[in-house]
Amino acid sequence: GYQQLKKGIRKFLDEADFREYTRVPSPGKDVNGFKMALQKRLYEGGYIAFDSVKADSAQLTEAVKKFQKEKGITVDGRVGEGTLRMLNLSDEEKFLRIAISLDKYKKLPATMPDKYIWVNASSNYLDVIENAEVKFSSKIICGKPRTRTPVLNSAISVLITYPQWVPPPSIVLKEILPAVKKNPGYLARKGFSLLDKEGNEVDPYTVDWSKFSKGIPYRVVQGSGDANALGVLKFHFDNKYSVYLHDTNQRYLFGNAMRSLSHGCVRVQDW
């Protein structure tokens, strides 16, 4: 892989366009700034005819659709995470990624195992490799740009059928806690149980959620079953990031072209 990538650099450089394009920020709170940058970027790429006059929503939508169609991604006229990432993907950025990828190859063990799983988080595919040959491939879903799948090497130690899911502290803090503050019934709706330090189940309606802001003194556990976020099977391997390979209860997402959708774990279609 290292040699193939290195060999392809010359062809890439011969065809590369190193013009600087306007970087489009996430919409966030500055919607006006986002629209101005978006229009300028679309103008620079030839998808809209002007940038001196403010475009209306319909004009921006049509220009975004042209961009999406040319890039071969879902044509809906909306600037979601995938479209935003493509808008900001320049040849200069690709060149930097090539350099980083070459460096990652150098950090691999001198001799790879006879059989191993290779997760390509960038392409959202997984390969099972045996004796230097790809024996099996599967679509996967990896982390969102804000919750990227980490780069690591480890050994799969346990396979767990019908696993329970214990959301990591980051998800509890950013997603579950705000939801239960609005409605404690959120936990039951999502199939979660609330357990104290002794493992006893706690009624979420008896908890004063308003006093928690940086975490909670309980474990949140989603029971096993086909509706569980981890699906039917979990591949466990030691790592400091609390990530693993697993099935999913959102299998329809494997139909997406852009599959950077998880909190960091790797969902496997053909587990």
Side-chain angles (χ1 to χ4, degrees), residues 50-178:
F50 54 91
D51 71 337
S52 55
V53 179
K54 187 177 180 181
D56 60 32
S57 296
Q59 292 169 324
L60 281 177
T61 297
E62 282 305 308
V64 170
K65 285 181 178 180
K66 289 179 184 178
F67 174 83
Q68 292 170 329
K69 186 175 182 180
E70 182 179 296
K71 299 300 180 182
I73 57 179
T74 302
V75 179
D76 58 10
R78 295 187 294 110
V79 183
E81 285 189 355
T83 298
L84 186 64
R85 187 165 56 248
M86 293 295 287
L87 283 164
N88 291 327
L89 181 58
S90 63
D91 281 349
E92 181 180 6
E93 172 70 16
K94 289 179 183 178
F95 186 66
L96 293 173
R97 292 183 183 187
I98 291 169
I100 292 169
S101 296
L102 288 171
D103 193 53
K104 286 179 180 177
Y105 272 117
K106 292 177 182 177
K107 291 179 179 179
L108 288 171
T111 303
M112 298 295 285
D114 292 334
K115 181 188 288 186
Y116 60 95
I117 294 173
W118 180 280
V119 174
N120 189 326
S122 298
S123 71
N124 284 305
Y125 275 90
L126 167 157
D127 293 329
V128 176
I129 298 173
E130 186 174 6
N131 297 323
E133 289 186 18
V134 176
K135 297 293 186 179
F136 175 80
S137 294
S138 172
K139 286 183 178 180
I140 58 174
I141 292 169
C142 286
K144 302 174 186 176
R146 295 180 183 176
T147 54
R148 294 177 183 234
T149 297
V151 177
L152 61 91
N153 294 328
S154 189
I156 292 174
S157 53
V158 181
L159 301 182
I160 302 173
T161 54
Y162 290 99
Q164 292 185 326
W165 181 44
V166 180
S170 59
I171 294 179
V172 172
L173 180 62
K174 296 176 183 178
E175 298 183 21
I176 296 177
L177 181 55

